[in-house]
Amino acid sequence: MASSARTKISKLFSIPSARTRRFQLPWEARSSYFSASAAVAVDPQPLPLPPPSEVYDGSRTLGLLKEYEDYRRNLYDGLTHKALLVDAVGTLVVPSQPMAQIYRNFGEKYGVQYSEVEILNRYRRAYGQPWGKSRLRYVDDGRPFWQYIVSYSTGCSDLQYFEELYDYYTTEKAWHLVDPNAERVFQSLRKCGVKLAVVSNFDTRLRPLLRALKCDHWFDAVAVSAEVEAEKPNPTIFLKACELLGVQPEDAVHVGDDRRNDIWGARDAGCDAWLWGSDVNSFEEVAQRIGVVV
């Protein structure tokens, strides 16, 4: 019965809508700080609707979820998963001030005249463009990409201006933790044997940023797209995180705020996935679902 529930749940959450599939921009370009809405791509051919037997009402879905989580706890001695993978921007950390405000404030002494609204709109257009011939935006430290973004967004190509902005976003002044209880929760998870990793589309500044925020020691591994050479939703980055933790993908659950990059990507890798802000709203809730009381 439990394995049947797992199969049904997998089908339930992997079914896209009939005619559209939402593709969300990276969090930096769509959050309340960057205010870009998700793009919608219409499929040329309508996707098939699930058969009536596989459409569940809310109570039936909750029942299957509970049955599935009970099934996993039986497998893992009371825990649903052996490892937790966590998205960085939008889930673990967020910018402390709106991007356009920072670009404008730093740029005033360099002659930047665009308003915050203009900077934001130009940022969206720049971020949405294909990045050269590379399949990656963030290669190594990401400097060429971010130089292009800053220059296009503000109309200013002054190298010193760029370096000030670039360095600022590596400091604790630029970011703060989403959940103030994160440290306590992660300590409880590790004490119960749950391994932890950050999985992020980011450049190599992520590691010094985690150190600046004094949270790098919370995690057993960090999988960064610029180092792995694969960006979410490519399953490769999730598989690398599992490899670093020494677990199988089916032993891990990933938590992130982007349905396309985090949820679909993790599930393509064979991991479970919970959408931050929808399936779970705090790390304490994540821990409880895994089976750890904080």
Side-chain angles (χ1 to χ4, degrees):
M1 181 182 295
S3 59
S4 174
R6 182 177 187 176
T7 301
K8 290 176 181 177
I9 289 171
S10 177
K11 290 180 178 179
L12 177 65
F13 287 103
S14 63
I15 297 168
S17 61
R19 293 184 180 275
T20 63
R21 183 180 290 124
R22 291 192 176 273
F23 292 94
Q24 295 179 322
L25 296 172
W27 187 89
E28 296 94 327
R30 68 178 174 83
S31 72
S32 59
Y33 294 88
F34 297 89
S35 302
S37 60
V40 179
V42 180
D43 292 325
Q45 296 295 328
L47 294 169
L49 287 168
S53 62
E54 293 186 5
V55 177
Y56 304 102
D57 60 25
S59 60
R60 176 60 173 155
T61 300
L62 290 174
L64 287 171
L65 284 171
K66 184 179 184 305
E67 187 179 340
Y68 175 50
E69 289 180 355
D70 288 344
Y71 159 74
R72 292 193 65 94
R73 287 193 179 95
N74 289 330
L75 288 179
Y76 300 130
D77 194 24
L79 301 178
T80 61
H81 299 85
K82 295 180 180 179
L84 171 63
L85 315 181
V86 180
D87 170 50
V89 179
T91 307
L92 181 65
V93 300
V94 288
S96 296
Q97 291 179 272
M99 172 277 302
Q101 183 182 101
I102 293 297
Y103 278 31
R104 169 70 180 171
N105 291 346
F106 274 66
E108 285 182 350
K109 65 180 178 181
Y110 294 99
V112 172
Q113 297 182 352
Y114 291 148
S115 68
E116 290 180 23
V117 172
E118 289 175 307
I119 290 172
L120 177 60
N121 288 335
R122 292 176 68 87
Y123 178 97
R124 290 173 178 170
R125 289 198 295 272
Y127 204 98
Q129 295 300 312
W131 177 232
K133 296 181 180 180
S134 172
R135 68 184 187 280
L136 296 171
R137 293 181 187 274
Y138 314 122
V139 177
D140 296 327
D141 61 11
R143 266 189 166 83
F145 172 72
W146 287 114
Q147 278 184 287
Y148 162 71
I149 293 294
V150 170
S151 176
Y152 188 93
S153 300
T154 63
C156 179
S157 300
D158 189 294
L159 185 59
Q160 186 173 344
Y161 167 51
F162 166 74
E163 289 296 336
E164 282 191 28
L165 274 177
Y166 184 88
D167 291 342
Y168 169 76
Y169 279 107
T170 316
T171 69
E172 70 279 5
K173 295 179 182 179
W175 307 87
H176 64 271
L177 295 169
V178 172
D179 186 343
N181 296 316
E183 181 175 13
R184 178 171 58 89
V185 174
F186 290 154
Q187 285 177 346
S188 297
L189 285 165
R190 294 185 76 180
K191 284 180 181 178
C192 291
V194 178
K195 297 182 178 181
L196 303 174
V198 175
V199 181
S200 178
N201 286 353
F202 213 106
D203 54 61
T204 52
R205 288 178 296 169
L206 181 60
R207 293 179 186 276
L209 172 59
L210 295 176
R211 288 195 294 271
L213 292 171
K214 297 179 172 59
C215 64
D216 58 312
H217 62 284
W218 299 353
F219 302 97
D220 301 294
V222 177
V224 190
S225 62
E227 297 173 353
V228 177
E229 298 185 355
E231 289 184 359
K232 297 183 290 185
N234 188 327
T236 298
I237 190 170
F238 298 99
L239 295 174
K240 182 61 176 180
C242 291
E243 178 187 330
L244 291 171
L245 294 178
V247 300
Q248 296 300 313
E250 60 267 25
D251 296 333
V253 59
H254 176 71
V255 175
D257 68 317
D258 188 298
R259 189 176 300 278
R260 175 179 180 264
N261 286 342
D262 293 305
I263 306 306
W264 295 357
R267 288 178 179 159
D268 280 348
C271 304
D272 274 344
W274 299 333
L275 184 64
W276 183 262
S278 178
D279 299 324
V280 290
N281 295 285
S282 69
F283 286 118
E284 185 168 351
E285 188 176 346
V286 171
Q288 289 172 349
R289 287 194 63 172
I290 290 174
V292 174
V293 177
V294 180

